Amino acid sequence: MPIRLQEADFDVGAELSVLRHGDARIGAIASFVGLVRDVSDGAGISEMTLEHYPGMTEKALVAIVAEAKTRWSIFDALVIHRFGRLLPTEQIVMVAVSAVHRGEAFAACEFIMDFLKTRAPFWKREVTPAGARWVDAREADQSAAERWLDE
Amino acid sequence: MPIRLQEADFDVGAELSVLRHGDARIGAIASFVGLVRDVSDGAGISEMTLEHYPGMTEKALVAIVAEAKTRWSIFDALVIHRFGRLLPTEQIVMVAVSAVHRGEAFAACEFIMDFLKTRAPFWKREVTPAGARWVDAREADQSAAERWLDE
Amino acid sequence: MLNILYFASLRETLGHSSEHLDLPPDVHDVGGLLNLLIARGGDWAKLSSVKNIRYAVNQEMARLDSPLKAGDEVAFFPPVTGG
Amino acid sequence: MLNILYFASLRETLGHSSEHLDLPPDVHDVGGLLNLLIARGGDWAKLSSVKNIRYAVNQEMARLDSPLKAGDEVAFFPPVTGG
């Protein structure tokens, strides 16, 4: 259950290779990469800063991955999330899940992202032409997380 | 809409970079990699051969990706599928989808895989200790594809 | 003339991967062609017992009542198992 | 003593990222602490109008009635926006 918070960028291909590590039981790897866009809520974004709560963030991610493992039969999950200053097109977050079949891998990967978005203590501050602003939580993210609670 | 059938292996990280190609509109990339397992239906697998229908396979994949683009707001989708002889732990297939938000990227990626599994003319032949055998279609794959028809 | 293709387990069962066949005047659709093939006997008769056989005409999935005309490419194969 | 942390927009509004505070005898839960902070006035009074403020005690999400004891780490922050 590798979980990493870091300022540095990451290499998705290399991380997926580590997750696979030649394990011939794995038939499926679902993954997600989140990127900085240059537009947000209609405003141009020149850069973004990601703040987090050291200690609690790691705990929250460990709990989310553990919950995914109780819900689906998966081998392992990887979560990497960056903090600090990021520019448009840069990678913010990566989640990858290995499993025997794709259904479990997809579901667990999306679940982890949905819960990370609503439960892990990260905050985005964007710089727009009108100045810096803290990003508001999206209702769509809340809805995405809540749909897993009905299952 | 890059769609490739090839005998050679592929580099997931490099392919994802091409899909992103520095496009700052992209906020989300969902991807899937399918791998050869060393066990199938309880038997050990020493190797597998993937046969396809040249011409029709490409057409089927183009149609599946086009359908995904009508259903979800996505930027682009990549499908790479190998054919020929493959050993356990080798990569078989890769699907990746870029979008503004993750919901669309995940849904389109899973849809493409589900339809590829049931509509694209590929056939797997496995070598087990008891000899070679053609893989039977899985009922779970049929169900996975059919759930999209209800939506 | 039809260009007929056989794939995967069907190809092995029949011992052929493809053949050219003049479209007989009484064959109008995929089902008619399939019956003609089965009537050859021997390994071809096994086509009648293959479960869930699939057909494509000109590289599009087809049905038993899909019409055939000279020049068509017709393919027979088992359910797909890629990915 | 409590270790209190403020994050993101709250940190900027209050002008503090953390502070140490002796647990007052009449403060028993997160809500009591929040009222104490608001009563400081000035920028602290803005805490009463912050929408959807979140709290954590010892790095677990908490509620207004979550109890506090000396030595606890308490955090206040806006809804999360990572990923």
Side-chain angles (χ1 to χ4, degrees):
Chain A
M1 197 194 290
I3 285 168
R4 295 198 335 245
L5 298 177
Q6 61 189 47
E7 288 197 72
D9 196 11
F10 48 83
D11 178 333
V12 176
E15 298 296 343
L16 291 177
S17 293
V18 171
L19 186 69
R20 286 171 56 187
H21 62 79
D23 185 339
R25 297 173 306 163
I26 300 174
I29 293 186
S31 63
F32 178 82
V33 178
L35 304 161
V36 182
R37 293 188 298 133
D38 64 0
V39 171
S40 172
D41 278 332
I45 304 299
S46 57
E47 64 174 84
M48 151 184 306
T49 305
L50 258 154
E51 181 170 335
H52 73 295
Y53 181 171
M56 180 170 170
T57 309
E58 291 86 338
K59 281 187 189 177
L61 294 174
V62 166
I64 291 166
V65 170
E67 171 72 15
K69 286 192 172 187
T70 68
R71 287 178 176 237
W72 295 282
S73 173
I74 61 177
F75 290 123
D76 213 347
L78 165 72
V79 179
I80 304 175
H81 202 298
R82 294 175 70 190
F83 58 89
R85 183 166 171 268
L86 297 170
L87 301 178
T89 77
E90 283 200 77
Q91 303 184 133
I92 305 170
V93 59
M94 164 178 183
V95 172
V97 174
S98 59
V100 172
H101 295 298
R102 74 189 180 289
E104 287 83 358
F106 271 118
C109 187
E110 194 166 10
F111 170 89
I112 291 170
M113 273 307 303
D114 286 346
F115 272 59
L116 182 157
K117 281 263 184 185
T118 50
R119 305 224 173 157
F122 292 102
W123 301 275
K124 284 181 184 145
R125 184 174 167 278
E126 298 170 335
V127 178
T128 76
R133 66 183 185 193
W134 290 93
V135 174
D136 282 328
R138 288 172 70 224
E139 179 55 39
D141 288 329
Q142 198 58 42
S143 305
E146 282 168 5
R147 86 199 138 113
W148 298 105
L149 303 178
D150 302 331
E151 299 200 346
Chain B
M1 197 194 288
I3 285 167
R4 297 200 332 248
L5 298 177
Q6 59 189 48
E7 288 197 73
D9 196 11
F10 48 84
D11 178 333
V12 177
E15 299 296 344
L16 291 178
S17 293
V18 172
L19 186 69
R20 285 171 56 186
H21 63 81
D23 186 340
R25 298 173 305 163
I26 300 174
I29 293 186
S31 63
F32 178 82
V33 178
L35 305 161
V36 182
R37 293 188 298 132
D38 65 359
V39 171
S40 172
D41 278 334
I45 304 299
S46 58
E47 65 175 83
M48 151 185 304
T49 305
L50 257 154
E51 181 171 334
H52 74 294
Y53 180 171
M56 180 172 172
T57 309
E58 291 87 338
K59 282 188 190 178
L61 294 175
V62 166
I64 291 166
V65 170
E67 171 73 15
K69 287 192 171 187
T70 68
R71 288 179 175 236
W72 294 281
S73 173
I74 61 177
F75 290 123
D76 213 348
L78 164 72
V79 179
I80 304 174
H81 202 299
R82 294 174 69 189
F83 58 88
R85 184 167 172 267
L86 296 170
L87 302 177
T89 77
E90 282 200 76
Q91 302 184 133
I92 305 169
V93 60
M94 164 177 184
V95 172
V97 174
S98 59
V100 172
H101 295 298
R102 74 188 181 289
E104 288 81 358
F106 271 118
C109 188
E110 194 166 11
F111 170 88
I112 290 169
M113 272 307 304
D114 287 346
F115 272 59
L116 182 158
K117 282 263 183 184
T118 50
R119 304 223 174 158
F122 292 102
W123 302 273
K124 286 180 183 146
R125 184 174 167 278
E126 299 171 333
V127 178
T128 75
R133 66 184 184 192
W134 290 94
V135 173
D136 281 329
R138 290 172 70 224
E139 179 55 40
D141 288 329
Q142 199 57 43
S143 305
E146 282 168 4
R147 85 198 139 112
W148 298 104
L149 304 179
D150 302 331
E151 300 198 348
Chain C
M1 187 127 95
L2 296 174
N3 184 25
I4 313 180
L5 306 173
Y6 308 100
F7 288 99
S9 53
L10 277 190
R11 176 176 52 73
E12 288 192 349
T13 298
L14 302 174
H16 289 77
S17 59
S18 69
E19 65 176 301
H20 288 98
L21 186 74
D22 284 322
L23 184 63
D26 58 334
V27 169
H28 306 291
D29 57 21
V30 172
L33 176 60
L34 186 59
N35 286 334
L36 182 93
L37 297 173
I38 290 167
R40 289 172 170 175
D43 287 334
W44 298 94
K46 296 177 186 169
L47 278 173
S48 63
S49 58
V50 171
K51 209 172 55 175
N52 294 322
I53 187 169
R54 302 283 198 263
Y55 347 93
V57 176
N58 297 326
Q59 306 189 350
E60 302 276 354
M61 294 302 296
R63 306 186 315 177
L64 284 176
D65 64 357
S66 296
L68 292 181
K69 61 181 189 308
D72 281 345
E73 176 176 298
V74 187
F76 295 93
F77 46 81
V80 304
T81 58
Chain D
M1 187 127 96
L2 295 174
N3 185 25
I4 312 180
L5 306 174
Y6 308 100
F7 289 99
S9 53
L10 277 190
R11 176 175 53 72
E12 289 192 348
T13 297
L14 302 175
H16 288 76
S17 60
S18 69
E19 65 176 299
H20 288 97
L21 185 75
D22 284 324
L23 183 63
D26 58 333
V27 169
H28 306 291
D29 57 21
V30 172
L33 175 61
L34 187 58
N35 286 334
L36 182 92
L37 296 173
I38 290 168
R40 288 172 170 175
D43 287 334
W44 297 95
K46 296 177 185 168
L47 278 174
S48 63
S49 57
V50 172
K51 208 172 58 177
N52 293 323
I53 187 169
R54 301 283 199 263
Y55 346 94
V57 175
N58 297 327
Q59 306 188 351
E60 302 278 353
M61 293 304 293
R63 306 187 314 177
L64 284 176
D65 63 358
S66 296
L68 293 182
K69 62 181 189 308
D72 281 347
E73 175 175 299
V74 187
F76 294 94
F77 46 80
V80 304
T81 58

